[in-house]
Amino acid sequence: MIEGTIQTLVQPALDHIIERPRLISLLEEADARVTLFAAPAGYGKTTLARQWSARQTGPVVWHRTTRASGDVAVLAVRLDEALAEIASDIPRDPQRIPTIARVNANAGPLGRALVSTYSALDRSVLLVIDEWEAAGTAEADELLSMLIEGLGIRWLITSRTRPSCFSPRLEAYGEGIVLSIDELAMTDAEARSVLSCETSLNDQTALVKTARGWPAVLGLAAMRRAADLPRTSVAGRVLFEYLATELMGTATALTHRGLTLAAAAGVSDLATIDLLLDGSAQAFTEEVTRLGLARIGGDASFEVHPLLRDLLLEELKSSVRSDEGAFVEHLARLIALGCWDEALTAAEMTDLPAYASRALEAAIPHFLAPTRVGMLRRWVAVGRRIGHSSGLVDLADAEVALREGDFARAISRGRLAGKVLDEDLAARAHLVVASAASLSNQLSLSRQHGAQAIRLASSADTTAAALWTAFIQAVDEEREDASAHLQKFEAQTEASPEQLLRVAHGIIRIGMLEGGLDAARTEAKTAIPLVEDNVDPMVSTAFLNLSSGAAAFAGSYQESLELAEQEFAVASMYELDFVKWHALLNQVRAAVGLRQIRVAERALADLDRSVQPQSDQFVDASRAIERARLYITIGDLNRAFDSLALDMDRSIDRWTRGEHLGLRALILAARGDNTLALKTAAEATRVSRMAEVRCLCAATELLADSTTRVSAGAFLKMTSEIGGWDVVVMASRASPDFARLLAEQDSGSRSKLREVFHASNDTVIARRLGLQIPRAARPAARLSPREQEIHELIAQGLTNPEIARLLFISESTTKVHVRHILEKLGVRSRVEAARMSVEPPS
């Protein structure tokens, strides 16, 4: 809410604007949801906005736009803070928007998060966005458009130009109204009323003609003797020069310097002004108030009139100041105070390379981690403009490129920065190159620069990042020293929730690589509560993603599903779309493991809707694998194989390529194509030595090459040591012979298979092997054993053709059984029959 006395450059004219009934009546009559004041500086837009907001009976929120608002991360956080002031009764996580701004600073995620947070606000709320033209970026326009469309509040926007967020549709449907120059310009009668106390009738006629309704000129005329004003049509530049001589001519040097500093840096509060002026803010504010050169709010806000601000910046850019050194020193205090938005604005608005260089040196390291991409992009532009050559600009450019997915630029700029910078900053540059190289599958280059980063890092944050990058490189390349890298990371980094989650993540990765997954999962589970400890969502979701996948590989499908749902919830909270994709993939895998066919199909459909083909190669590859697992589960091996028919691009990670080949080999073996199956399995083991791939290839060899008890026993021993029981489930679903081979071992193997098939809801497979698994309670005990099998499969969501394939019976026979089941249960649909199959009590 805006409070306090209004002091403006053109106060007499704007006082009259407040009284103009035609504008107030126009706004009241329109009662628009979105109102736009669009006109050049000096037309009283802000003053009219203040007066209109003062007439409202409901809450009013005010956001004054600055150049920093062009960064959607900044804009979203400030709008969140402003709306929170009048929405204290709305449940809200105060860290949600700042966290999204840090990890996913794009208009879409931020806009959706703001809309979901404040959807309960209604038309009683008025949000005023003042001087929108200052933002000046497409991303800011996109965010504001989303908020206007998504929130039911009323909007008042002032801007020198018509912004794209004010769409023609708003006017066409009567939701929006625009007051432009034609409406905001004073009529002749209004102009004469402003001038009546100061000028003669002849002077009034001349001035009205000269001003052409421009309130700034009329206000100036009311403040100065009429004879001093130009009598001809006044161009903007001429008026600026006039203002400089007439208004600023009487101001002290302190006031002139303070106003210029405020205009250059976009300062909006008296506290910062006081620091810039060595504690002289009181004398400064007294004079600007007396002269009417700025607005001082009751909340200690400070606002230079935009017309005067333009004048001061024009003067600053066109003159060589005799006190430039002192001016630079004053601006440099913004750096010392950490006023980064103002410091960047000053670097953009002034032509002072000496200041810009100092600001760059201080600011860029501050924003590297965590980074605001919009802020870094602006610093890069400043650095390029002044020709800054310390390497910092290249480092910032490399960081921006990495986050934008331009890996070639990230590598080239990062390498340039690494050659020029020293110590920790050089380490940061090498880390960018290592990350970009890894993501573009240039493993040798990634290792080289990762090692350089570890050697040069000096700060705790950079050291931790370098050591973690080295571990990820080692485990992605499936090297034998991966465990040593994890131990080094744990030993040389400070304990924190994020560090502990990463260590737990690493333990599982080692288990998935080397085996011993049961012990690894048990140890890592102690870190799960830390996910709720307000840690970086990129760290927490990575841990949940891997934990869910590891649980599924271990055959703990229900646990996997719960972890995937938790991962999806965190991703949704922070609008991390790509993490949602990974969570859906985990949901598919877990649901397939549980034989929840419809759940798996829905999750795959959600993926198909949200992920464009080839937008994420890993997701595309994983979708193919999960579809194949789904088709194996419903007994359609041909479609399963077709899902894996295309070879994967070599840029896909080794683990995924190996799993793709291993699953393809298993399907070939189940179909009886033993020669090609063994050849494909051998290729899979050359690609990857991950535990999952080794289990798939061993299962393939067991099916295709040998049916001896020794081979089956060796397979069971390996699977038990690794902990990869999902492969047993999938191979048994693909081939009845496989499960039979395993069941022919000792009683211990039968006990373990009973446990595995119970967890995967594979009662049909277990029954064939003579394994007793607790059966779901039934209200009708007269179903035959075959009907009970089919009833279970109906409850799992399988169709008649899928049941027929799975049970090796004809589809027509399946239809007969289904009809008999419905009749015996006394129900009319498969849905009702499915509901009558309930889990046994635990």
Side-chain angles (χ1 to χ4, degrees):
M1 189 78 72
I2 296 297
E3 299 176 351
T5 304
I6 297 176
Q7 295 289 341
T8 65
L9 170 65
V10 291
Q11 188 64 52
L14 298 183
D15 279 342
H16 191 73
I17 289 177
I18 293 169
E19 303 299 327
R20 288 194 291 174
R22 67 181 181 88
L23 293 181
I24 299 298
S25 297
L26 185 60
L27 293 172
E28 289 177 342
E29 182 179 347
D31 190 27
R33 190 174 67 84
V34 185
T35 302
L36 172 65
F37 299 162
Y43 275 85
K45 302 184 296 295
T46 299
T47 299
L48 184 58
R50 288 197 192 100
Q51 286 300 296
W52 177 245
S53 66
R55 298 172 68 91
Q56 307 307 305
T57 57
V60 178
V61 185
W62 192 286
H63 172 73
R64 182 186 172 198
T65 314
T66 65
R67 289 182 66 86
S69 304
D71 181 347
V72 290
V74 176
L75 178 61
V77 169
R78 291 183 178 174
L79 289 176
D80 178 48
E81 292 170 348
L83 288 167
E85 291 184 8
I86 54 92
S88 58
D89 57 334
I90 292 179
R92 165 182 171 268
D93 177 1
Q95 293 304 314
R96 185 185 182 197
I97 302 301
T99 302
I100 296 173
R102 187 179 77 248
V103 302
N104 194 14
N106 293 294
L110 288 165
R112 290 192 297 271
L114 284 167
V115 168
S116 65
T117 300
Y118 297 105
S119 59
L121 297 180
D122 56 25
R123 282 179 63 100
S124 65
V125 176
L126 175 66
L127 176 52
V128 182
I129 306 290
D130 192 26
E131 298 189 32
W132 178 247
E133 76 283 347
T137 64
E139 293 85 359
D141 279 343
E142 181 183 353
L143 177 62
L144 187 56
S145 295
M146 291 182 68
L147 298 182
I148 289 174
E149 289 294 324
L151 294 178
I153 64 176
R154 289 177 298 129
W155 299 79
L156 196 164
I157 304 166
T158 77
S159 178
R160 297 190 186 186
T161 58
R162 179 172 176 144
S164 62
C165 58
F166 192 90
S167 64
R169 186 191 65 79
L170 290 171
E171 287 185 277
Y173 285 86
E175 290 188 89
I177 181 175
V178 181
L179 300 189
S180 57
I181 291 177
D182 291 342
E183 291 80 21
L184 295 172
M186 287 184 168
T187 64
D188 287 355
E190 290 169 336
R192 290 179 187 278
S193 177
V194 171
L195 298 169
S196 60
C197 298
E198 303 291 337
T199 57
S200 66
L201 183 61
N202 289 337
D203 286 336
Q204 286 182 29
T205 301
L207 287 170
V208 168
K209 182 178 180 180
T210 299
R212 291 179 293 182
W214 194 355
V217 177
L218 294 164
L220 187 61
M223 295 171 67
R224 295 285 181 248
R225 292 174 53 206
D228 293 337
L229 282 168
R231 287 296 190 274
T232 58
S233 180
V234 181
R237 177 67 182 174
V238 174
L239 178 60
F240 283 177
E241 291 174 354
Y242 180 82
L243 289 169
T245 56
E246 290 295 310
L247 281 177
M248 296 300 295
T250 59
T252 63
L254 173 70
T255 296
H256 195 285
R257 183 170 71 250
L259 287 171
T260 304
L261 286 167
V267 176
S268 59
D269 64 279
L270 288 178
T272 306
I273 288 288
D274 193 45
L275 293 166
L276 287 172
L277 295 179
D278 298 320
S280 302
Q282 183 174 353
F284 168 78
T285 55
E286 287 176 355
E287 184 166 45
V288 296
T289 299
R290 178 176 58 82
L291 295 176
L293 297 174
R295 174 185 175 273
I296 310 297
D299 55 355
S301 61
F302 175 82
E303 181 181 343
V304 179
H305 189 276
L307 195 61
L308 179 58
R309 186 172 64 235
D310 289 347
L311 160 69
L312 292 166
L313 291 173
E314 187 74 16
E315 179 191 51
L316 177 63
K317 292 176 181 179
S318 62
S319 65
V320 178
R321 305 177 60 86
S322 60
D323 60 345
E324 179 176 319
F327 190 76
V328 167
E329 290 305 314
H330 282 294
L331 285 177
R333 296 179 189 183
L334 293 169
I335 304 168
L337 294 168
C339 299
W340 301 114
D341 290 336
E342 291 84 356
L344 176 53
T345 298
E348 291 173 323
M349 301 305 295
T350 63
D351 190 16
L352 299 170
Y355 165 72
S357 292
R358 288 173 66 174
L360 278 165
E361 297 283 345
I364 287 181
H366 178 78
F367 285 104
L368 291 178
T371 184
R372 275 168 33 189
V373 174
M375 179 73 81
L376 275 182
R377 195 181 291 118
R378 289 169 63 197
W379 279 116
V380 170
V382 170
R384 300 288 184 223
R385 189 190 75 200
I386 66 171
H388 192 76
S389 59
S390 73
L392 278 172
V393 176
D394 284 325
L395 174 54
D397 197 6
E399 291 274 9
V400 171
L402 178 64
R403 285 152 181 78
E404 292 176 342
D406 189 346
F407 302 136
R409 190 174 104 234
I411 290 171
S412 61
R413 292 298 180 188
R415 294 178 80 171
L416 286 172
K419 292 177 180 179
V420 177
L421 297 171
D422 297 320
E423 297 181 346
D424 207 61
L425 287 174
R428 295 284 319 177
H430 288 295
L431 269 178
V432 173
V433 177
S435 298
S438 177
L439 290 167
S440 56
N441 209 34
Q442 301 179 58
L443 302 183
S444 176
L445 184 65
S446 180
R447 281 197 303 273
Q448 174 190 338
H449 285 274
Q452 287 282 77
I454 291 176
R455 183 176 64 83
L456 293 168
S458 57
S459 71
D461 287 343
T462 305
T463 299
L467 291 171
W468 182 250
T469 298
F471 166 70
I472 293 298
Q473 289 171 341
V475 78
D476 281 348
E477 295 174 31
E478 303 178 4
R479 302 204 311 263
E480 293 183 356
D481 63 346
S483 293
H485 280 287
L486 180 61
Q487 291 167 7
K488 191 173 182 180
F489 170 79
E490 185 174 13
Q492 297 186 18
T493 54
E494 297 178 2
S496 68
E498 276 133 358
Q499 188 251 19
L500 293 173
L501 275 176
R502 278 187 163 147
V503 170
H505 177 123
I507 289 169
I508 296 175
R509 283 296 298 268
I510 296 297
M512 295 291 283
L513 174 62
E514 303 289 354
L517 187 57
D518 289 341
R521 290 176 57 235
T522 299
E523 184 176 356
K525 280 181 183 178
T526 60
I528 289 179
L530 297 174
V531 170
E532 307 292 337
D533 201 15
N534 198 30
V535 299
D536 185 337
M538 297 298 288
V539 176
S540 62
T541 54
F543 170 72
L544 290 170
N545 181 69
L546 184 64
S547 297
S548 177
F553 179 50
S556 299
Y557 301 114
Q558 187 60 46
E559 179 187 344
S560 173
L561 187 60
E562 292 168 1
L563 288 166
E565 290 170 349
Q566 189 177 1
E567 177 189 3
F568 192 89
V570 176
S572 300
M573 169 65 73
Y574 297 110
E575 292 290 339
L576 301 171
D577 285 340
F578 75 97
V579 177
K580 291 181 189 177
W581 301 343
H582 288 254
L584 286 170
L585 285 169
N586 280 326
Q587 287 181 24
V588 174
R589 175 155 294 206
V592 167
L594 290 167
R595 283 193 168 275
Q596 295 178 0
I597 306 302
R598 294 295 170 256
V599 174
E601 288 177 336
R602 283 196 298 271
L604 276 171
D606 287 343
L607 270 172
D608 292 340
R609 283 191 295 269
S610 59
V611 184
Q612 296 300 317
Q614 299 182 342
S615 63
D616 188 306
Q617 287 186 313
F618 173 82
V619 172
D620 287 343
S622 298
R623 275 193 291 183
I625 291 171
E626 298 311 327
R627 277 203 170 85
R629 289 166 47 82
L630 177 61
Y631 289 134
I632 289 172
T633 298
I634 63 176
D636 194 338
L637 295 182
N638 290 332
R639 292 180 72 182
F641 185 78
D642 290 344
S643 298
L644 304 174
L646 295 178
D647 291 332
M648 287 194 174
D649 192 291
R650 290 186 61 83
S651 63
I652 300 293
D653 66 277
R654 298 170 66 176
W655 181 1
T656 305
R657 284 190 289 134
E659 183 185 5
H660 178 273
L661 288 167
L663 193 57
R664 184 195 290 181
L666 181 64
I667 295 168
L668 285 167
R671 294 201 313 182
D673 195 344
N674 295 340
T675 301
L676 184 55
L678 292 171
K679 181 180 177 181
T680 305
E683 183 182 357
T685 55
R686 286 194 296 271
V687 169
S688 172
R689 71 179 189 92
M690 292 296 291
E692 185 173 14
V693 178
R694 299 203 308 273
C695 283
L696 284 168
C697 294
T700 299
E701 291 171 4
L702 180 59
L703 267 178
D705 192 42
S706 172
T707 58
T708 67
R709 292 176 181 274
V710 175
S711 295
F715 173 82
L716 280 171
K717 183 175 184 295
M718 181 192 74
T719 302
S720 181
E721 291 173 350
I722 286 175
W725 296 103
D726 175 68
V727 173
V728 170
V729 171
M730 297 310 300
S732 298
R733 291 174 181 177
S735 170
D737 292 338
F738 186 86
R740 189 161 48 250
L741 286 170
L742 300 185
E744 290 173 354
Q745 302 305 303
D746 56 35
S747 59
S749 67
R750 294 178 64 80
S751 176
K752 182 60 183 178
L753 289 174
R754 183 184 297 110
E755 177 186 330
V756 169
F757 292 138
H758 180 54
S760 64
N761 291 322
D762 279 303
T763 54
V764 173
I765 294 175
R767 190 176 302 115
R768 287 176 186 159
L769 301 177
L771 302 176
Q772 297 301 315
I773 292 179
R775 179 177 299 282
R778 296 266 190 301
R782 62 183 182 275
L783 295 181
S784 69
R786 176 60 86 184
E787 288 169 348
Q788 289 173 356
E789 287 181 342
I790 293 174
H791 188 203
E792 290 170 359
L793 297 176
I794 290 172
Q796 293 168 16
L798 271 66
T799 64
N800 286 348
E802 292 166 351
I803 293 171
R805 281 194 299 270
L806 189 64
L807 297 181
F808 300 99
I809 60 178
S810 69
E811 189 174 343
S812 60
T813 300
T814 304
K815 289 180 180 178
V816 172
H817 283 306
V818 170
R819 187 173 68 251
H820 289 166
I821 291 168
L822 299 182
E823 290 173 353
K824 289 181 177 181
L825 294 179
V827 297
R828 290 180 292 181
S829 70
R830 298 169 69 96
V831 173
E832 290 180 89
R835 288 174 181 164
M836 296 180 73
S837 178
V838 297
E839 291 297 321
S842 58

